[in-house]
Amino acid sequence: MFDQEPFGVLEIEKLLPNLRGEGTLGKRKIEIPYSLPGDVYDVYKFGKRKVFFKWNPTNIEPRSATPRCSKFGECGGCSGQHLPYPIQFDLKSEPILKELEKYNPAQTQISHADSSYSYRNRMDFAVFPDRIVGLRMSGNFRRIIPLGNCPIQTDWANSEMPLLHKLLDLFPGLEYDRKKETGYLKYFTLRKSVFNEDSMSILTFTEDFKNTELMQEVALRSKEIFGAKNIVFCFNRKKGEISASGEAIAVRGNTYLIEEIWGKNFKVPFDGFFQPNPKEFIKILEFIRSKIGKPENLVDLFCGSGFFSILFGEHFSRILGIDIVPSSVLAGEESLQEIFPDKKIEFLAFDLFHKKGLAKMEAADLPWKDSVLLADPPRSGLSPELCEFLNSNPVSQLIYISCNPQNLLRDIAILESSYKLEEFLLCDPFPQTPHMEAVAVFSPKNR
């Protein structure tokens, strides 16, 4: 496999929370994805200043779980299909629960996923020359693993995905070539509402494709080929490796998707975030509903298009939402004003991780002590500055939703100077991956 002698032989000794196997080679700990204890690898060393390793298996232990994806191990999308789901859950949850013990919450709940496949309501596939449609190779961003389907996305998406090849057959060279900078189509994104029949296919093109005669022809054929209720073309820079982003037009339907939770509709922009596994996220919502207080104000940080405000806003007279994405903020404010015409609604677009954003938070002039604050930040969590702002302006109740529980635990260490951790929920909307979701409920100290 490699034109050199192995650096050494490594046996996998244990599994880590990131679902990788770990072994020791000399004094080095080396992680190998998709491995199990007892697997043996010849390890090869490369590089001088920046050392990295590659490996070749020489003994593979029998697997008790059969991956549903034929490209598992090549594609970088999943990391756990070689493990039975209960083992995945235990590996991911145990270090979080152990670290949580130091904060001594009054109650801790854990929740396994009901389904470990066919759960994702959005997938983004790269498009490369020669009709290659797929996901990035594990460990190599420049290589694409062609996929005909993806077992963790919805059944609808797996029926829609092959239709792109029909479109590519009609328009040879439509795929964007990153080296030659020819062609136009960079990404194909599939979004499916879980609790209704709305669906969306998003084709991301280079910006020079916009308003061309070829675009009109491709749009016409797309309406004939795709089954999605909404077909969106969006356009961004040639050098930008970003899917479903930029200026957009609806070839059919709308540039937004309607999702339904608890009988309430959510208008999700084509480029807006929505929970990737709504069925599992219902457990989080039910947990929040059972814990949320009823003071005068609701503050919804990282609000997106108003997801939490729509679900829980009926209990409050004033709702403040903040997010960095203007399209989501606009959609959220419009929805909230329609749903709650008698309430004071204010949705603002600015960066909560920037000091100017914190200044705008201060200028909101909320009676923080009479507010429930919901925070659903990105994986990076809250910044130390934002945590200190919350410490200086203690709210009646702080509910922190996190897609990275380790960073949540990091932030608890700062917040505990002003807040007491009362309750904690750990659940798994992301089977086959190392990720989990958590909710922490805080009450203010010294009140």
Side-chain angles (χ1 to χ4, degrees), residues 71-250:
K71 300 298 179 67
F72 176 70
E74 299 177 68
C75 168
C78 289
S79 51
Q81 291 189 29
H82 64 305
L83 298 170
Y85 175 68
I87 293 178
Q88 293 181 36
F89 186 91
D90 289 345
L91 285 168
K92 296 192 291 184
S93 63
E94 284 174 0
I96 297 168
L97 296 172
K98 184 174 180 59
E99 180 72 12
L100 182 66
E101 291 176 358
K102 67 173 66 172
Y103 301 109
N104 193 31
Q107 183 178 2
T108 299
Q109 300 180 35
I110 61 171
S111 176
H112 294 72
D114 293 333
S115 176
S116 58
Y117 286 99
S118 303
Y119 67 84
R120 278 195 69 94
N121 63 356
R122 171 177 173 163
M123 290 291 293
D124 297 78
F125 300 97
V127 180
F128 271 55
D130 299 322
R131 300 170 67 252
I132 294 175
V133 180
L135 297 176
R136 305 285 178 174
M137 175 183 283
S138 175
N140 189 341
F141 185 79
R142 296 183 178 181
R143 293 283 302 278
I144 300 298
I145 301 300
L147 297 172
N149 61 74
C150 177
I152 65 170
Q153 72 177 351
T154 64
D155 293 339
W156 172 85
N158 279 326
S159 67
E160 184 84 347
M161 187 175 175
L163 302 180
L164 178 62
H165 287 284
K166 294 186 176 182
L167 184 69
L168 297 178
D169 287 341
L170 294 174
F171 298 97
L174 185 64
E175 311 97 289
Y176 180 58
D177 189 317
R178 274 99 172 147
K179 293 182 179 179
K180 299 178 180 178
E181 295 191 3
T182 58
Y184 305 100
L185 180 59
K186 299 195 294 181
Y187 286 95
F188 184 49
T189 300
L190 297 169
R191 305 190 71 160
K192 176 68 177 69
S193 298
V194 173
F195 297 110
N196 62 44
E197 295 304 314
D198 210 7
S199 56
M200 179 179 285
S201 289
I202 308 167
L203 289 80
T204 302
F205 297 95
T206 57
E207 56 192 356
D208 55 339
F209 187 64
K210 183 175 57 179
N211 297 328
T212 62
E213 289 187 12
L214 180 59
M215 189 206 82
Q216 302 300 332
E217 295 176 19
V218 173
L220 180 64
R221 292 294 191 173
S222 294
K223 288 190 286 186
E224 297 172 354
I225 291 172
F226 293 120
K229 292 192 174 184
N230 308 286
I231 303 173
V232 174
F233 285 6
C234 66
F235 314 92
N236 58 36
R237 295 185 306 107
K238 287 186 175 183
K239 297 293 186 181
E241 287 297 331
I242 305 175
S243 59
S245 176
E247 185 178 347
I249 61 171

Side-chain angles (χ1 to χ4, degrees), residues 255-268:
T255 58
Y256 57 83
L257 191 76
I258 299 295
E259 183 59 278
E260 181 181 339
I261 303 286
W262 291 345
K264 297 179 179 179
N265 288 334
F266 295 84
K267 185 186 292 186
V268 185

